[in-house]
Amino acid sequence: MAVKNIVVAGLGGQGVLKVTDILADALFLCGYDVKKSEVHGMSQRGGSVSSEVRFGDRVASPMVPMGECDILAVLDSTQVEVVQAKLRKGGILITPDDVPKEQLKHPKALNTMILGAIAKHLDVKAEIWDQALASAFPEKLLELNREMFALGKK
Amino acid sequence: MKLLASGNEAIAMAALDCAVDLGCGYPGTPSSEILDEFSRMGGRAEWEPNEKCALETAIGVALANGRALVTMKHVGLNVAADPLFTIAYSGTNGGLVIVSADDPGMASSQNEQDNRRYANSAGVPMFEPSDSQECYDFLIEAFKLADRFRSPVLFRVTTRVCHSKCVMDRHGKGLSPRQAEFVKDPTLNVMVPAFARKAHRRLRADLKAMQKWNEEGSFVKEVRNGSELGVVTSGISFQHVLDADPSVSVLKLGMTWPLPVERVKKFAASVKRCIAVEEGDPALGEMLRAAGVPVESPDESFRFGELNVDRVRKLLKNDLTPDPVAAPGKPPQLCPGCPHRASYEALRDLNCIVSGDIGCYTLGVMPPFNAVHCCVCMGASVTVGLGLRKMLPEAEARRVVSVIGDSTFFHTGINGVVEMVYNPPATGHVLVILDNSTTAMTGLQEHPGTGRKLDHSPAPAVSIESVVRGIGIRNVDIVDTTAEPERFRELLKQRLAENSCSVIIARRPCILAMAKAKTYQAKKENN
């Protein structure tokens, strides 16, 4: 399978890296070659954050080339402008307007809701998502995040 | 076992599988997670006050026949360079591997120095992994090389290698533990001139043997495609090249000092044109040309910033059109509720000339504070401030304040305070220590003042106020600038008007660290 590219962007503290961690984990569990890239440090201090996941039979560079992103998801609409150049023509853009935000039980869980919206476009079995979510969250937060993921995926 | 891991996690796993006796270092993006991971998996790990201390402790472990892993960011190796150049001469019986995590593009650094130059300059062999698998495999090879040649080994990773997660196999084929033993042999371990002269000759002979080892070893990977264009590369650049142009042949070097010159010569002769694709300095190109290999280096513009697939495509075509300018995004800033905010508001309002330092608080340079006016390297705030005071006319000299964080104070700030007491400027000086009780910028690591070890278990705390008083500072005040902003302003005004040397400790914990500190405390009470 040719390499597929996903980019997730947002602001520091929104849980961007959590989304790509779970994504990468789920795709790894599917048996794909997966690479995930991000930048730590300065960018954590409330600034723009983006993280990228590439998967397929064989992935070389961990970074998505310009105009080759298949799915671009943002946790904050202001970030579309920052990362849009990555999206390919005909690629999928997901913003907070595309998920049922009003049903969020906690503002911090927007990231798992967006992850659900990304999951709609991926051929990954429900039990694999379940496994990836379970290893990403402690017991007391798992149920809420499962629910938000399901809402985003609807 | 197959798993998804970052380069930093892979290094930690390899260290554990090599029975590393001690991992030590100073936090610095992008290296910081290595020791946390190593500790979490059961390895013995320590944060030390700075990289020089860490390398020296590691040298001691290796002199006692153990294995030690030292981690730091690229600029940390400048601090540790003094021991590095001499331990290269003497070597150690045990294993000593130094991770240098370089930051091309400066995601979180003050410069983009290329530490491949250190390998060449100090005469220390260097490995450069290009993904997590190689981080794991090469670290094991680095310790094997250390065992065989008694040499310290540099392990150069870069931001994308450290922080990218890749699928890798933790095969567990590591090394068995070493037994502690110290052999008294001054001719090997005491670098007085008579012994060092011999040691230098021995080092150069060893490097020749290491080159042969590299020529014959499995660290050179050749991807054979067309014979029109050949690329010599290393590290993350290799991955970008694979995606950028499937028609080029690639020679990828895993051990980049001493270089496998004969292998590269043979490769260069097999293609019409050969070009070195490398992030940072044109080091590989320069060294290969010096060795008589006909290799080109790309245009100067490609030495700035990180490479990626797009830039490598342009590089290979010598396309010099400017890269598309990305929308700026939101810059990092001091967190809402950050205790440094109130300190900077006062420094701004009193129109101070602020000599800053390295940490979250460097962000005081940004609006609305605009209150950091120079910043060089770890610890420089104190001494650069002294220099400003010595040069500026009195009215301006009086407005100079040095600010330094708590972790940075322990790192290399203490020496500056000694200088402040020893050679005070005519107007005296004011040092504000922004003590938020953690190493915040790199991810809330512990330091000698926090009262906790790397794994957050209790440790003796070194008191900042006792240290500065002990050095000879008479005016030492402790203020919570958020709770008592007026008191801080008045005190600062008073100290700036005096001709003495003063330290004001602005103490209030980082808001991100406070929640964590509570969980550590609860854990301690439960035990």
Side-chain angles (χ1 to χ4, degrees), chain B residues 331-398:
Chain B
Q333 54 190 319
L334 292 173
C335 302
C338 170
H340 301 328
R341 285 181 165 262
S343 307
Y344 278 123
E345 279 162 9
L347 291 163
R348 174 195 62 198
D349 295 348
L350 294 178
N351 195 24
C352 293
I353 297 170
V354 179
S355 171
D357 223 303
I358 307 282
C360 280
Y361 54 98
T362 317
L363 293 171
V365 70
M366 308 290 283
F369 311 107
N370 306 308
V372 173
H373 306 113
C374 56
C375 177
V376 186
C377 64
M378 293 287 286
S381 59
V382 191
T383 23
V384 169
L386 292 172
L388 286 170
R389 284 225 178 205
K390 285 174 186 179
M391 187 64 197
L392 289 171
E394 189 187 335
E396 281 170 81
R398 263 193 204 292

Side-chain angles (χ1 to χ4, degrees), chain B residues 215-512:
Chain B
E215 301 271 10
E216 291 162 1
S218 57
F219 314 117
V220 183
K221 193 188 250 176
E222 188 167 345
V223 181
R224 201 68 218 179
N225 291 308
S227 56
E228 198 63 35
L229 182 63
V231 165
V232 183
T233 190
S234 66
I236 193 69
S237 309
F238 168 66
Q239 306 291 355
H240 302 325
V241 170
L242 289 182
D243 279 348
D245 187 349
S247 77
V248 299
S249 288
V250 187
L251 193 75
K252 188 265 201 192
L253 311 181
M255 184 176 162
T256 48
W257 192 257
L259 285 168
V261 174
E262 296 309 317
R263 291 285 293 269
V264 186
K265 253 184 200 161
K266 215 173 120 199
F267 174 78
S270 76
V271 289
K272 270 195 189 149
R273 237 186 95 208
C274 189
I275 186 163
V277 176
E278 48 191 327
E279 215 168 46
D281 289 357
L284 202 51
E286 285 173 7
M287 291 188 291
L288 287 169
R289 284 192 293 279
V293 189
V295 172
E296 299 167 26
S297 285
D299 182 76
E300 172 87 354
S301 58
F302 292 102
R303 77 183 293 164
F304 304 105
E306 278 193 299
L307 289 180
N308 54 38
V309 177
D310 302 298
R311 292 190 78 205
V312 172
R313 279 179 188 146
K314 289 172 71 178
L315 181 158
L316 295 175
K317 287 186 284 191
N318 197 31
D319 173 356
L320 302 182
T321 54
D323 294 319
V325 182
K330 192 173 168 223
Q333 54 190 319
L334 292 173
C335 302
C338 170
H340 301 328
R341 285 181 165 262
S343 307
Y344 278 123
E345 279 162 9
L347 291 163
R348 174 195 62 198
D349 295 348
L350 294 178
N351 195 24
C352 293
I353 297 170
V354 179
S355 171
D357 223 303
I358 307 282
C360 280
Y361 54 98
T362 317
L363 293 171
V365 70
M366 308 290 283
F369 311 107
N370 306 308
V372 173
H373 306 113
C374 56
C375 177
V376 186
C377 64
M378 293 287 286
S381 59
V382 191
T383 23
V384 169
L386 292 172
L388 286 170
R389 284 225 178 205
K390 285 174 186 179
M391 187 64 197
L392 289 171
E394 189 187 335
E396 281 170 81
R398 263 193 204 292
R399 292 193 281 125
V400 176
V401 175
S402 295
V403 297
I404 192 167
D406 43 335
S407 189
T408 312
F409 170 79
F410 287 114
H411 182 278
T412 33
I414 295 174
N415 282 309
V417 180
V418 174
E419 167 61 8
M420 183 162 133
V421 170
Y422 182 44
N423 291 308
T427 55
H429 191 44
V430 177
L431 169 64
V432 177
I433 301 177
L434 300 171
D435 178 8
N436 63 357
S437 309
T438 186
T439 315
M441 179 54 95
T442 47
L444 310 174
Q445 290 84 5
E446 309 294 353
H447 65 64
T450 65
R452 288 182 299 270
K453 294 185 184 294
L454 179 141
D455 65 358
H456 315 295
S457 62
V462 180
S463 149
I464 296 176
E465 49 273 37
S466 302
V467 170
V468 294
R469 281 197 188 106
I471 291 170
I473 303 285
R474 296 211 184 107
N475 304 327
V476 180
D477 294 281
I478 300 168
V479 193
D480 179 342
T481 62
T482 307
E484 308 169 283
E486 277 315 310
R487 189 185 149 219
F488 177 56
R489 273 164 208 251
E490 289 311 310
L491 182 65
L492 194 56
K493 268 194 241 170
Q494 182 197 330
R495 294 302 184 212
L496 289 171
E498 293 170 359
N499 289 335
S500 54
C501 289
S502 311
V503 169
I504 302 173
I505 302 171
R507 179 169 289 156
R508 185 183 176 93
C510 164
I511 50 159
L512 300 177

Side-chain angles (χ1 to χ4, degrees), chain A residues 67-116:
Chain A
E68 295 186 21
C69 169
D70 299 285
I71 303 172
L72 173 63
V74 296
L75 302 188
D76 187 292
S77 300
T78 60
Q79 299 305 300
V80 174
E81 192 198 346
V82 184
V83 282
Q84 192 151 37
K86 287 259 174 182
L87 192 61
R88 71 168 164 81
K89 275 195 189 119
I92 298 157
L93 174 68
I94 299 167
T95 75
D97 296 333
D98 301 315
V99 294
K101 287 194 301 281
E102 63 288 347
Q103 294 181 57
L104 268 179
K105 285 198 175 157
H106 192 287
K108 282 237 165 193
L110 176 66
N111 62 347
T112 33
M113 198 179 255
I114 294 275
L115 175 65

Side-chain angles (χ1 to χ4, degrees), chain A residues 21 24-25 28 34-42 45-48 54 60-63 65-66 68 81-82, chain B residues 2-4 33 107-108 160 163-167 236 239-240 243 309-310 313 327 329-333 360 440-441:
Chain A
D21 264 336
D25 196 25
F28 166 66
V34 183
K35 284 192 182 173
K36 177 198 152 166
S37 172
E38 68 209 21
V39 170
H40 297 198
M42 274 276 186
R45 299 287 168 260
S48 298
R54 313 189 73 200
S61 172
M63 292 148 82
M66 284 296 169
E68 295 186 21
E81 192 198 346
V82 184
Chain B
K2 265 193 145 189
L3 71 159
L4 194 61
E33 298 83 5
S108 196
R160 295 291 169 177
H163 287 162
S164 295
K165 283 193 175 177
C166 315
V167 180
I236 193 69
Q239 306 291 355
H240 302 325
D243 279 348
V309 177
D310 302 298
R313 279 179 188 146
K330 192 173 168 223
Q333 54 190 319
C360 280
M441 179 54 95

Side-chain angles (χ1 to χ4, degrees), chain B residues 200-211:
Chain B
H200 188 198
R201 288 176 191 280
R202 195 168 55 233
L203 168 64
R204 295 296 152 187
D206 282 350
L207 283 166
K208 284 209 177 83
M210 285 185 237
Q211 179 181 341

